[in-house]
Amino acid sequence: MPGNAPRPLEGQVALVTGGSSGIGAGVAVALAAAGAAVGVNYASSPEGAAAVVDEIERTGGAAVALQTDVSREEQVEALFRGLLNRFGRLDILVANAGIQKDAAFADMTLDQWRTVLDINLTGQFLCAREAVRIFDRQGRDPGRSAATGKIICMSSVHEVIPWAGHVNYAASKGGIMLMMKSLAQEVASRGIRVNGIAPGAIQTDINRAAWETPEALQRLLALIPYGRIGLPEDVARAAVWLASDASDYVTGTTLFVDGGMTLYPGFRENG
Ligand code: NAD
């Protein structure tokens, strides 16, 4: 970002889970460019997290890499303690870590079901719970942000689009949607805003098979009215907006960043 770019998150501290790759890495870099100090959580790629921290520090920002499996309660508590030790406060949580373990329903193992629900849904619960506890302790600081704290849940268009062969993943994202809305309702009076982002097809490792070959990309583009695959930066710009005071009256909503994937593209030619 150019030196004179607006920095709506100046003086704030953010934590991004699954921040060492893909959408999380893009979000971490964009939050830092907007002025936030950023905790870059990673599960298994210290190199990926170090590269994101490097990129942020090279442009004058502050960041720290923190290893955690977000599905483990004691590790999540340690993650937030680590962030507070380093930066002293928390203003923004982007609960982004997620995985797929795809299988035809009749073949899906309990382990495939549980692992996806544990990381995608329970992981967001554990992280959001720590964030709410910290926001409540800190209280509101209008000089820093209009809200007491902001939580952004990385969902998916599959919070509303059913997805055969990915029942565990779609169930986790549908769960995230109602967790996000119920939590938003519960904590709004304490000044905490909770929203979701539902990306469509974003070019990252998680969906490499869907864009890697020209044939696969062609099939994917048939589902995207806007005519291009999304990039992590497309999601990152939405995250910066949802984290900033520009969206101060927005809570309990999902922002779809999907090039129109949820617009029933099959009906484009008159149904
Ligand atoms: P990605 O695989 O690059 O990112 C997922 C990240 O989560 C990785 O960095 C991974 O290490 C981390 N992670 C996995 N298990 C973890 C754990 N137990 N603890 C902590 N971190 C863990 O893929 P991505 O596309 O950047 O996905 C990011 C989020 O966006 C996910 O929640 C995914 O469901 C969602 N999403 C992606 C797309 C897309 O098209 N790429 C679309 C909709 C939603």
Side-chain angles (χ1 to χ4, degrees):
M1 247 191 198
N4 60 355
R7 291 167 62 87
L9 306 179
E10 193 76 62
Q12 299 189 48
V13 177
L15 175 63
V16 183
T17 67
S20 62
S21 65
I23 291 172
V27 167
V29 167
L31 294 176
V38 182
V40 180
N41 157 251
Y42 67 98
S44 57
S45 168
E47 312 78 30
V52 173
V53 169
D54 261 16
E55 183 175 349
I56 291 172
E57 288 180 344
R58 259 189 287 114
T59 49
V64 61
L66 298 159
Q67 182 174 22
T68 301
D69 175 346
V70 295
S71 69
R72 303 284 302 276
E73 184 174 28
E74 70 290 355
Q75 290 192 28
V76 169
E77 288 165 0
L79 167 67
F80 283 79
R81 278 199 303 276
L83 185 85
L84 293 185
N85 281 342
R86 176 61 196 267
F87 291 127
R89 61 178 294 111
L90 176 72
D91 301 282
I92 300 153
L93 166 67
V94 183
N96 164 79
I99 57 160
Q100 288 181 216
K101 286 202 178 293
D102 309 329
F105 189 72
D107 300 330
M108 188 174 285
T109 64
L110 181 57
D111 185 58
Q112 286 171 322
W113 171 267
R114 276 201 179 130
T115 305
V116 168
L117 270 291
D118 281 356
I119 294 173
N120 293 14
L121 183 56
T122 306
Q124 291 209 9
F125 157 67
L126 291 171
C127 291
R129 191 181 61 175
E130 288 312 302
V132 166
R133 288 172 174 170
I134 293 169
F135 296 154
D136 281 340
R137 266 202 318 271
Q138 285 177 174
R140 212 188 289 247
D141 179 358
R144 213 180 293 263
S145 172
T148 308
K150 285 95 40 161
I151 296 174
I152 299 169
C153 300
M154 201 57 71
S155 182
S156 163
V157 288
H158 297 295
E159 74 171 40
V160 293
I161 301 179
W163 203 13
H166 310 258
V167 169
N168 48 359
Y169 183 82
S172 74
K173 296 301 185 180
I176 285 170
M177 189 247 294
L178 268 179
M179 180 187 71
M180 176 277 289
K181 286 180 186 287
S182 303
L183 175 58
Q185 190 189 57
E186 183 168 328
V187 298
S189 63
R190 281 129 69 184
I192 301 171
R193 294 196 294 115
V194 189
N195 290 290
I197 295 178
I202 310 297
Q203 192 165 13
T204 72
D205 273 350
I206 209 171
N207 59 356
R208 178 172 290 279
W211 51 262
E212 205 164 34
T213 66
E215 301 74 39
L217 184 61
Q218 210 46 47
R219 278 196 304 276
L220 181 65
L221 290 178
L223 300 173
I224 308 173
Y226 201 58
R228 71 167 172 85
I229 192 167
L231 300 172
E233 298 79 61
D234 291 308
V235 179
R237 283 191 293 273
V240 168
W241 182 74
L242 280 175
S244 77
D245 283 356
S247 63
D248 189 52
Y249 208 50
V250 178
T251 193
T253 198
T254 301
L255 179 51
F256 285 80
V257 182
D258 70 350
M261 190 178 253
T262 40
L263 298 176
Y264 298 94
F267 282 79
R268 268 182 294 190
E269 312 301 334
N270 217 9

